[in-house]
Amino acid sequence: MYMWGNIDGQYGRTVFNAAEAATSPLVSPTKARSPLDVYFPNTEDLASDEMRVIACGTGMPTTRAAQAAACFLVELGNGDKFIFDIGSGSAERLSSLQIPYDFLDKVFIGHLHADHFGSLAELFIGGALLGRQRPLQVWGPSGPTPELGTAYAVQKMEEMYTWDLSGRVGLVDFRGYSIKVNEFDYRGVNAVIYEENGVTVRSFPAIHSLDGPVSFSLEWNGLKFVFGSDTYPNKWFVEYAKDADLAVHECFVAVPDLVKKMRFTPEQALLVGTQIHTAPEAFGKVMAEIQPRMAVAYHFFKDFDTTAEVNDRIRTTYDGPLSLAEDFMVWNITKDDIRVRMAIVEEHTWAPPLASEAKTPQKGDKKRFSKETGVPVEALHYSDFISEGRWSEVDEALRGVYSEASEALGRKFEYPSK
Ligand SMILES: [Zn+2]
Ligand SMILES: [Zn+2]
């Protein structure tokens, strides 16, 4: 099936001569045209009935500059935003979208491979530093044992950052530096795991590596987004992803390219490429069965010499609407239309605006942290040994910065005493 799209509606009628062009309201030598063929973050409102999905990671565990690992951001016209998987390298993609971090506080993790949650720490700590004034909320599956569940993984990750957090408490607004984990049963079949503000998220089991992985559906305002995370084709996805508006499912590198480009042995390529993951031919079968308004294939390196192979193999089993995802692909979804574009982002991003006011550190932050982690309060300061190593020759230069700030801002900033 080949989609022509709405040529007249989007771009205006074709203008054939200069005289006509000069008087056409749609084509002008001096006026900007709209709508744009690309998405520039923070230049378009989201309509109250619209869903916008942005791919912030579409690649492999071995991240590369062109592709981070699994991450899809879902933005809804009611103001809610949801992150599905936060694979290695994806936090920097999210930063490029210039979204206040208070709005990026909900993460759903499909399974605990690094390429699906390896950037959680960056969103957790970097997000708190740049404006998330509330705990990060994480939803993720249980496992066959407690050690194989999301709560365990996140708790150990927080423990891993004990030194990092110990050095920040007392210096910054600490309200964002904690994680609330909502672990749910991985065996839940189309089980509701989130329901708020007209949004329902459900989980169903996936088949991948070990027991534990899940896929998600999100429904809001009559629109349905489905995210497979990683899975071998399974009966639950075929049933519960049916009639999705946007169905995102893994589609692995084609087996010959696993041998040629990823240097797998043929045995390993066949096993990993068809039994642990979903081969392009199998991806096509799944989509032909569920018939989404738009099928999205991700989890392969999308290059000039791999894309045709993936596409041709999908097309042996599926002829419906298809997006071969890459990082920063954007889908604007309404009941009437699904518009697919690429985002053009500013790479040199600084902090987005604050969605809520930052507070100065609270008295008692250190005490509370010490109690929670077992780190003695006195270890949350420099020891005398380290303190006495401060080189006092810089004092005068630094005092200058304080007087400069006091003068410029019209209030007195006291230089800290030792
Ligand atoms: Zn995986
Ligand atoms: Zn994966």
Side-chain angles (χ1 to χ4, degrees):
M1 184 197 293
Y2 189 81
M3 305 235 305
W4 278 87
N6 183 2
I7 294 171
D8 278 353
Q10 282 187 24
Y11 303 110
R13 67 208 160 88
T14 308
V15 175
F16 294 104
N17 65 62
E20 201 183 336
T23 56
S24 164
L26 295 172
V27 179
S28 151
T30 53
K31 302 278 187 236
R33 289 180 297 280
S34 68
L36 298 172
D37 296 339
V38 293
Y39 172 65
F40 293 106
N42 191 35
T43 61
E44 293 177 18
D45 295 342
L46 196 57
S48 61
D49 62 347
E50 186 177 13
M51 175 188 282
R52 179 168 55 212
V53 176
I54 305 181
C56 293
T58 57
M60 304 282 284
T62 44
T63 59
R64 58 179 191 169
Q67 278 176 290
C71 179
F72 285 79
L73 172 70
V74 177
E75 300 180 278
L76 304 180
N78 70 358
D80 287 345
K81 299 185 197 298
F82 301 84
I83 297 165
F84 286 90
D85 280 355
I86 178 89
S88 316
S90 61
E92 75 176 48
R93 304 294 201 252
L94 285 167
S95 82
S96 297
L97 302 175
Q98 284 289 295
I99 297 169
Y101 279 100
D102 250 3
F103 300 150
L104 296 176
D105 66 337
K106 291 186 275 302
V107 183
F108 289 75
I109 297 171
H111 69 293
L112 297 164
H113 270 150
D115 59 319
H116 295 259
F117 88 121
S119 221
L120 183 65
E122 295 154 33
L123 180 69
F124 168 44
I125 291 171
L129 183 65
L130 290 187
R132 193 190 62 248
Q133 329 282 16
R134 55 175 84 142
L136 186 63
Q137 293 203 70
V138 172
W139 284 259
S142 62
T145 74
E147 298 80 9
L148 296 173
T150 305
Y152 178 92
V154 173
Q155 185 203 326
K156 294 293 174 190
M157 185 196 84
E158 279 187 277
E159 285 175 18
M160 181 173 99
Y161 283 103
T162 301
W163 187 92
D164 179 297
L165 298 169
S166 299
R168 294 176 197 275
V169 66
L171 293 179
V172 292
D173 184 340
F174 210 60
R175 289 173 298 167
Y177 289 88
S178 66
I179 302 182
K180 183 170 179 291
V181 185
N182 308 282
E183 185 177 287
F184 55 85
D185 189 342
Y186 76 94
R187 291 161 305 187
V189 175
N190 213 28
V192 174
I193 55 164
Y194 177 96
E195 198 164 28
E196 224 171 284
N197 207 14
V199 183
T200 305
V201 180
R202 292 184 167 86
S203 94
F204 36 95
I207 304 176
H208 177 65
S209 275
L210 291 172
D211 265 32
V214 298
S215 302
F216 297 108
S217 71
L218 178 151
E219 284 174 273
W220 166 76
N221 192 40
L223 297 174
K224 183 171 174 180
F225 164 85
V226 175
F227 178 67
S229 200
D230 280 354
T231 187
Y232 181 82
N234 70 73
K235 63 175 187 182
W236 299 289
F237 195 91
V238 167
E239 182 167 357
Y240 300 113
K242 251 201 178 98
D243 304 321
D245 293 277
L246 200 75
V248 183
H249 192 288
E250 68 144 300
C251 173
F252 216 60
V253 178
V255 166
D257 279 333
L258 284 175
V259 176
K260 197 164 72 190
K261 301 189 69 111
M262 292 197 67
R263 320 209 187 285
F264 284 17
T265 64
E267 290 78 7
Q268 188 188 352
L270 283 162
L271 266 180
V272 175
T274 73
Q275 302 301 306
I276 303 293
H277 286 283
T278 295
E281 299 84 342
F283 169 91
K285 280 294 276 188
V286 170
M287 291 303 167
E289 181 65 28
I290 68 170
Q291 304 257 336
R293 281 176 71 203
M294 176 64 73
V296 179
Y298 87 104
H299 217 309
F300 58 95
F301 277 164
K302 191 184 174 190
D303 289 347
F304 71 96
D305 55 349
T306 56
T307 306
E309 186 87 35
V310 170
N311 186 65
D312 288 354
R313 286 164 185 267
I314 292 174
R315 288 312 190 191
T316 61
T317 48
Y318 174 65
D319 66 357
L322 173 68
S323 303
L324 299 176
E326 59 187 271
D327 289 17
F328 292 127
M329 195 172 275
V330 181
W331 297 264
N332 285 77
I333 305 156
T334 57
K335 291 205 172 98
D336 307 323
D337 190 28
I338 296 183
R339 188 154 182 238
V340 189
R341 293 175 292 173
M342 291 300 297
I344 305 291
V345 301
E346 170 56 70
E347 290 188 350
H348 300 87
T349 39
W350 285 63
L354 300 183
S356 60
E357 205 183 333
K359 284 187 180 162
T360 46
Q362 302 294 295
K363 265 205 159 106
D365 278 356
K366 285 194 185 189
K367 250 193 173 155
R368 207 172 317 116
F369 181 84
S370 162
K371 217 170 147 200
E372 278 168 21
T373 58
V375 177
V377 168
E378 48 291 5
L380 301 175
H381 304 270
Y382 289 131
S383 65
D384 289 347
F385 167 72
I386 287 299
S387 225
E388 280 158 17
R390 293 162 74 107
W391 188 44
S392 58
E393 295 298 304
V394 293
D395 262 18
E396 208 180 308
L398 297 180
R399 278 177 195 280
V401 183
Y402 272 69
S403 3
E404 182 194 340
S406 303
E407 205 166 300
L409 301 174
R411 62 189 168 108
K412 182 85 185 127
F413 294 98
E414 290 295 341
Y415 193 70
S417 53
K418 288 280 145 55

